[in-house]
């Protein structure tokens, strides 16, 4: 496995870092003030998008881009360091049309949509003209097991009639959100992994009610993590994404690269936290010594560096495997990064908050919001426990296949 960044990626990294330094970092305060005043989208987002597009920093995430489609078409391994750079500022990804959940939705449409569906939904998403949401999680069941989904999608002539409740639907409150990709059951009597389908639902279709946009750990996200009720929402049968009954398989296809993106952005946020912690530790004194001269703080800095680098290498391995062997072969590695990285993220940010003291709990630094994002990632795309079970199951399966290999290492007394 070769994780070295290619010349092309190094050039893109330098270009992206320059863009961040010149056009995004100087606007962090302006972004925060706009959100505080209730202005969303922020006034300068469209301008930054056009600038990024003009510089070729657009749709960097999609390996399977076809000639003529806007973007670069980097592999998962090539995109990983770029996602890390974007992750330093939580809203930066949107500037480059590399923001979740749109990235995963574009991948789904790119792989499974009909030509008509692509023209209606994929093209405007690739051009950054609209936003989208992915509607899977439900409040009344454990949605980490997608077979538990209860939303009913019933065929009536040449239409589907959709009824059910979803929540934590990211992006659903964004004014530019025009598309919901909705997962529900079209055939409750089929095999457990063939009951679900995905349907393309226009955001403003009659029968859709945004019930609320609940704060997450007291933090309000203007783009929304909404609770939504669907009451007799009707869409044409032609809006089915892929084959009827393929929803579970489509959901699995969506999650592999998406977890790479989440994890590398998370690593970028952890890198920023370490940078802030190190600077603060060299500027602030307590009990007659700089903070870094206290053994505990120095240990936090050292541990943070080790943990970030370990996590990055694991993510790059998973990205390499997806590129070369496919997401199915990288299943264990994908679960590993999803369990390792958000936990690392919150540990590093927590240490940085401690070094900043009470200031770290306020909006004066990005640390409190970063901590919330890292904590939420321990649920997004599946909770830690599900990923740990997957890893253990795959390890035990391999152990059973290699039964007896460890016997030479056991030396009980001969009888």
């Amino acid at each position: 496995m070769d994780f070295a960044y290619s010349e092309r990626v190094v050039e893109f990294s330098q270009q992206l870092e320059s863009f961040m330094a010149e056009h995004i970092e100087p606007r962090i305060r302006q972004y925060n003030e706009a959100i505080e005043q209730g202005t969303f989208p922020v006034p300068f987002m469209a301008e930054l998008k056009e600038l990024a597009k003009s510089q070729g920093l657009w749709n960097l995430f999609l390996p399977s881009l076809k000639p003529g489609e806007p973007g670069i078409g980097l592999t998962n391994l090539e995109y990983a360091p770029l996602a890390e750079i974007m992750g330093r500022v939580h809203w930066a990804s949107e500037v480059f049309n590399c923001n979740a959940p749109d990235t995963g939705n574009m991948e789904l449409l790119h792989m499974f949509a009909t030509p008509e569906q692509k023209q209606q939904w994929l093209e405007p998403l690739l051009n950054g003209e609209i936003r989208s949401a992915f509607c899977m999680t439900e409040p009344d069941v454990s949605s980490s097991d997608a077979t538990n989904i209860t939303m009913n999608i019933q065929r009536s002539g040449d239409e589907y009639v959709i009824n059910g409740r979803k929540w934590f639907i990211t992006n659903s409150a964004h004014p530019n959100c025009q598309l919901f990709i909705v997962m529900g059951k079209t055939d409750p009597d089929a095999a457990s992994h063939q009951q679900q389908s995905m349907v393309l639902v226009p955001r403003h279709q009659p029968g859709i009610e945004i019930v609320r946009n609940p704060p997450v750990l007291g933090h309000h996200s203007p783009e929304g993590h909404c609770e939504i009720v669907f009451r007799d929402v009707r869409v044409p049968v032609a809006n089915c994404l892929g084959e009827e009954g393929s929803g579970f398989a489509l959901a699995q296809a969506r999650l592999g690269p998406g977890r790479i993106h989440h994890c590398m952005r998370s690593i970028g946020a952890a890198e920023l936290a370490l940078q802030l912690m190190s600077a603060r530790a060299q500027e602030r004194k307590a009990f007659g010594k700089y903070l870094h001269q206290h053994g505990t703080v120095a240990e936090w800095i050292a541990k943070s560096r080790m943990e970030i680098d370990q996590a990055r290498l694991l993510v790059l391995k998973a990205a390499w495997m997806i590129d070369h062997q496919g997401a199915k072969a990288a299943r264990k590695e994908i679960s590993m990064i999803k369990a390792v990285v958000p936990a690392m993220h919150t540990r590093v940010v927590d240490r940085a908050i401690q070094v900043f003291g009470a200031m770290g709990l306020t909006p004066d630094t990005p640390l409190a919001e970063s901590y919330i994002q890292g904590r939420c990632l321990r649920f997004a795309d599946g909770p830690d426990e599900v990923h740990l079970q997957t890893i253990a199951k795959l390890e035990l399966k391999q152990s059973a296949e290699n039964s007896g290999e460890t016997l030479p290492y056991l030396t009980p007394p001969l009888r």
Side-chain angles (χ1 to χ4, degrees):
M1 298 181 184
D2 185 0
F3 303 153
Y5 299 152
S6 66
E7 281 187 29
R8 180 166 80 148
V9 171
V10 171
E11 290 175 5
F12 273 122
S13 296
Q14 292 170 345
Q15 187 181 356
L16 187 58
E17 285 176 345
S18 296
F19 192 103
M20 293 280 291
E22 293 174 23
H23 303 293
I24 291 181
E25 291 169 11
R27 283 186 164 96
I28 291 174
R29 181 184 295 276
Q30 188 180 350
Y31 181 95
N32 293 343
E33 290 172 350
I35 298 302
E36 184 70 23
Q37 294 163 7
T39 303
F40 187 79
V42 294
F44 53 82
M45 183 58 72
E47 170 197 338
L48 288 183
K49 282 185 167 185
E50 287 303 315
L51 185 59
K53 192 182 293 187
S54 71
Q55 294 189 15
L57 296 171
W58 191 257
N59 290 340
L60 302 167
F61 67 94
L62 195 57
S64 56
L65 274 175
K66 296 181 174 63
E69 291 179 331
I72 305 302
L74 300 174
T75 67
N76 288 289
L77 183 62
E78 288 174 324
Y79 176 64
L82 307 182
E84 179 178 336
I85 294 168
M86 296 177 206
R88 294 170 64 87
V89 179
H90 71 89
W91 50 267
S93 295
E94 183 178 357
V95 173
F96 310 100
N97 214 38
C98 293
N99 44 281
D102 293 327
T103 50
N105 293 342
M106 283 187 265
E107 285 180 314
L108 272 179
L109 291 166
H110 207 266
M111 288 188 288
F112 303 109
T114 65
E116 294 76 18
Q117 291 170 347
K118 288 180 179 179
Q119 183 178 12
Q120 184 176 6
W121 300 116
L122 179 59
E123 289 182 14
L125 279 167
L126 286 172
N127 289 322
E129 298 164 1
I130 65 172
R131 300 290 305 274
S132 63
F134 185 70
C135 302
M136 188 177 96
T137 305
E138 297 180 6
D140 298 323
V141 297
S142 175
S143 303
S144 57
D145 177 359
T147 62
N148 287 336
I149 296 299
T150 62
M151 171 162 276
N152 182 262
I153 303 177
Q154 188 170 5
R155 186 160 182 167
S156 175
D158 59 356
E159 290 184 319
Y160 286 122
V161 182
I162 306 171
N163 284 281
R165 185 181 297 264
K166 300 287 186 179
W167 77 338
F168 286 94
I169 306 306
T170 301
N171 221 32
S172 50
H174 197 294
N176 298 335
C177 182
Q178 299 296 323
L179 171 66
F180 289 165
I181 299 182
V182 179
M183 185 164 171
K185 286 191 175 179
T186 45
D187 185 0
D189 298 322
S192 61
H193 291 88
Q194 296 172 344
Q195 298 176 2
Q196 307 82 13
S197 299
M198 289 189 188
V199 178
L200 306 177
V201 181
R203 157 67 182 86
H204 298 288
Q205 199 76 354
I208 295 176
E209 178 191 356
I210 304 291
V211 177
R212 59 175 176 148
N213 178 16
V216 177
L217 289 177
H219 173 74
H220 174 77
S221 297
E223 71 276 12
H225 302 296
C226 296
E227 181 177 355
I228 308 171
V229 171
F230 294 75
R231 293 187 180 92
D232 294 328
V233 177
R234 291 179 174 268
V235 296
V237 169
N239 283 29
C240 185
L241 183 61
E243 299 293 327
E244 193 171 293
S246 67
F248 188 91
L250 266 61
Q252 296 305 303
R254 182 183 186 275
L255 289 175
R259 286 172 177 154
I260 298 290
H261 305 170
H262 272 318
C263 288
M264 289 304 289
R265 284 193 295 265
S266 200
I267 288 169
E271 279 283 4
L272 177 63
L274 175 55
Q275 189 177 353
L276 289 166
M277 174 168 46
S278 299
R280 177 79 166 185
Q282 294 176 82
E283 297 164 356
R284 198 81 159 182
K285 280 186 175 181
F287 303 103
K289 296 191 292 186
Y290 285 105
L291 295 182
H292 72 88
Q293 294 173 324
H294 294 274
T296 300
V297 175
E299 184 177 313
W300 289 346
I301 292 170
K303 283 186 174 180
S304 297
R305 167 49 59 211
M306 292 186 292
E307 291 168 7
I308 290 171
D309 284 5
Q310 288 169 341
R312 181 187 292 110
L313 287 170
L314 190 57
V315 176
L316 292 176
K317 177 188 178 185
W320 185 94
M321 289 187 69
I322 292 175
D323 288 336
H324 289 82
Q325 301 171 8
K328 186 175 181 180
R331 185 183 174 197
K332 182 167 69 175
E333 285 70 21
I334 291 169
S335 285
M336 288 165 67
I337 65 172
K338 193 57 187 57
V340 165
V341 175
M344 176 278 297
H345 178 166
T346 51
R347 282 197 305 273
V348 173
V349 174
D350 186 68
R351 292 167 187 150
I353 289 173
Q354 205 70 9
V355 169
F356 269 83
M359 181 183 178
L361 301 173
T362 73
D364 292 4
T365 80
L367 295 172
E369 183 167 33
S370 183
Y371 184 89
I372 292 170
Q373 290 170 347
R375 187 62 186 84
C376 290
L377 277 177
R378 293 183 60 193
F379 289 113
D381 293 345
D384 292 356
E385 293 75 15
V386 170
H387 295 292
L388 293 172
Q389 282 188 347
T390 297
I391 296 162
K393 188 185 299 182
L394 293 171
E395 282 293 306
L396 291 169
K397 180 183 177 184
Q398 184 178 358
S399 174
E401 290 171 353
N402 299 327
S403 178
E405 283 192 353
T406 59
L407 289 177
Y409 296 91
L410 304 178
T411 55
L414 294 174
R415 295 216 182 1

